[in-house]
Amino acid sequence: MQLLRRLGGGARPASRTPAAPPGAEKTRYLSAIDIFRDLGPEDLEWLAETTTMVTAPRGRVIYAPGQTPEALFLLKRGRVQVYRTSADGKKLVTAVLEPETFFGELALAGQRMADTAAEVLEEATLCVLSRRDLERLIVRQPQVALRLLEAVSGRLLAAEALLEELAFKSVSARLAGLLLRLARERGTSELSGLTHQDLADMVGTYRETATAALDQFRARGLVELGRKQVRLLDSAGLAGIARGEPLG
């Protein structure tokens, strides 16, 4: 399949898993993805047989700016970040995706991905569903299209919220809000696997600026910093900064 060969743009394509998981396991995974929640056993079995499973290491680019992958990527394991790049190479992360979700949906609507890219943050296992097979599934089960529309609408709202933050909030406020959101999403105040550059990309600033804000948070006793780790100590204090209260 041409798409699998060019996964990661000019980099080495993501390798196939040595052995596909048992069909029942793959079917259970696919049923956990929200856009497929209305499917019955027969359709889920068809989906499991139709999708191709691949693995990709940390740092692998699934698709690069300007590419139009003709597939929907279903994330089974690991984490993937979706980001945009400016003409001067500045990076803005628009989403960090956890397991049991999907990405690449804009290409399926016939839109070129422009400056958008997807990169693996933690070794990922992906199921790849071709555009043709997705269209076949939608013809059989139109509710899949409705679920896709619901999910994409939610992502558009999140993108609008991000633009509002970039326009009206300081770096400190954006960073405090990001830390609180990540803690809610992960269900823990121990945020690991995040470099200062990762956090800077997520709030649309430079690493040095993000580091300075984190050092201020630490000086106020709001967080504890370690190697690729941020531990939240005072969520209420961070919430105040996220609302615009001054650091000093």
Side-chain angles (χ1 to χ4, degrees), residues 3-142:
L3 173 63
L4 298 181
R5 289 197 299 270
R6 66 184 177 90
L7 269 177
R12 177 176 58 88
S15 59
R16 290 177 181 269
T17 51
E25 178 188 342
K26 191 176 182 183
T27 300
R28 282 196 300 271
Y29 151 65
L30 292 169
S31 68
I33 298 177
D34 191 58
I35 59 174
F36 301 136
R37 70 174 184 253
D38 300 311
L39 298 184
E42 183 178 342
D43 287 313
L44 287 169
E45 288 175 10
W46 175 86
L47 193 61
E49 294 172 358
T50 302
T51 54
T52 301
M53 187 169 285
V54 298
T55 58
R58 174 181 169 85
R60 176 60 42 80
V61 176
I62 304 300
Y63 55 79
Q67 292 183 339
T68 307
E70 295 290 312
L72 190 69
F73 299 95
L74 311 169
L75 182 59
K76 179 179 187 293
R77 180 178 61 86
R79 290 193 301 139
V80 171
Q81 65 175 359
V82 179
Y83 62 91
R84 298 180 66 86
T85 54
S86 64
D88 61 359
K90 190 175 179 182
K91 182 176 174 182
L92 173 63
V93 174
T94 56
V96 176
L97 304 175
E98 303 288 342
E100 299 182 359
T101 190
F102 64 91
F103 60 98
E105 68 279 0
L106 290 181
L108 300 177
Q111 296 191 32
R112 189 173 175 84
M113 301 306 285
D115 298 323
T116 302
E119 179 182 339
V120 177
L121 285 178
E122 294 177 1
E123 184 176 70
T125 300
L126 305 165
C127 286
V128 183
L129 178 65
S130 72
R131 176 174 182 164
R132 180 180 177 184
D133 287 329
L134 177 61
E135 289 173 347
R136 290 170 60 192
L137 178 61
I138 287 174
V139 169
R140 292 168 53 175
Q141 298 292 348

Side-chain angles (χ1 to χ4, degrees), residues 212-229:
L214 287 169
D215 287 341
Q216 287 182 300
F217 291 174
R218 176 171 56 184
R220 286 192 55 179
L222 302 176
V223 301
E224 183 179 280
L225 303 178
R227 178 175 172 78
K228 292 187 179 182
Q229 186 175 50

Side-chain angles (χ1 to χ4, degrees), residues 102-225:
F102 64 91
F103 60 98
E105 68 279 0
L106 290 181
L108 300 177
Q111 296 191 32
R112 189 173 175 84
M113 301 306 285
D115 298 323
T116 302
E119 179 182 339
V120 177
L121 285 178
E122 294 177 1
E123 184 176 70
T125 300
L126 305 165
C127 286
V128 183
L129 178 65
S130 72
R131 176 174 182 164
R132 180 180 177 184
D133 287 329
L134 177 61
E135 289 173 347
R136 290 170 60 192
L137 178 61
I138 287 174
V139 169
R140 292 168 53 175
Q141 298 292 348
Q143 65 268 37
V144 172
L146 295 176
R147 300 302 182 196
L148 269 170
L149 182 60
E150 290 173 359
V152 172
S153 297
R155 291 179 179 183
L156 286 175
L157 290 174
E160 289 181 1
L162 177 61
L163 287 174
E164 183 178 341
E165 287 195 349
L166 289 172
F168 300 117
K169 288 190 175 183
S170 67
V171 170
S172 295
R174 300 201 304 267
L175 186 55
L178 171 66
L179 294 176
L180 291 169
R181 177 169 57 81
L182 291 175
R184 286 195 302 270
E185 292 174 352
R186 298 188 183 186
T188 177
S189 60
E190 303 273 354
L191 305 178
S192 58
L194 294 168
T195 67
H196 289 193
Q197 184 65 61
D198 292 334
L199 294 171
D201 291 339
M202 291 180 195
V203 296
T205 191
Y206 296 101
R207 180 186 59 79
E208 295 81 3
T209 307
T211 296
L214 287 169
D215 287 341
Q216 287 182 300
F217 291 174
R218 176 171 56 184
R220 286 192 55 179
L222 302 176
V223 301
E224 183 179 280
L225 303 178

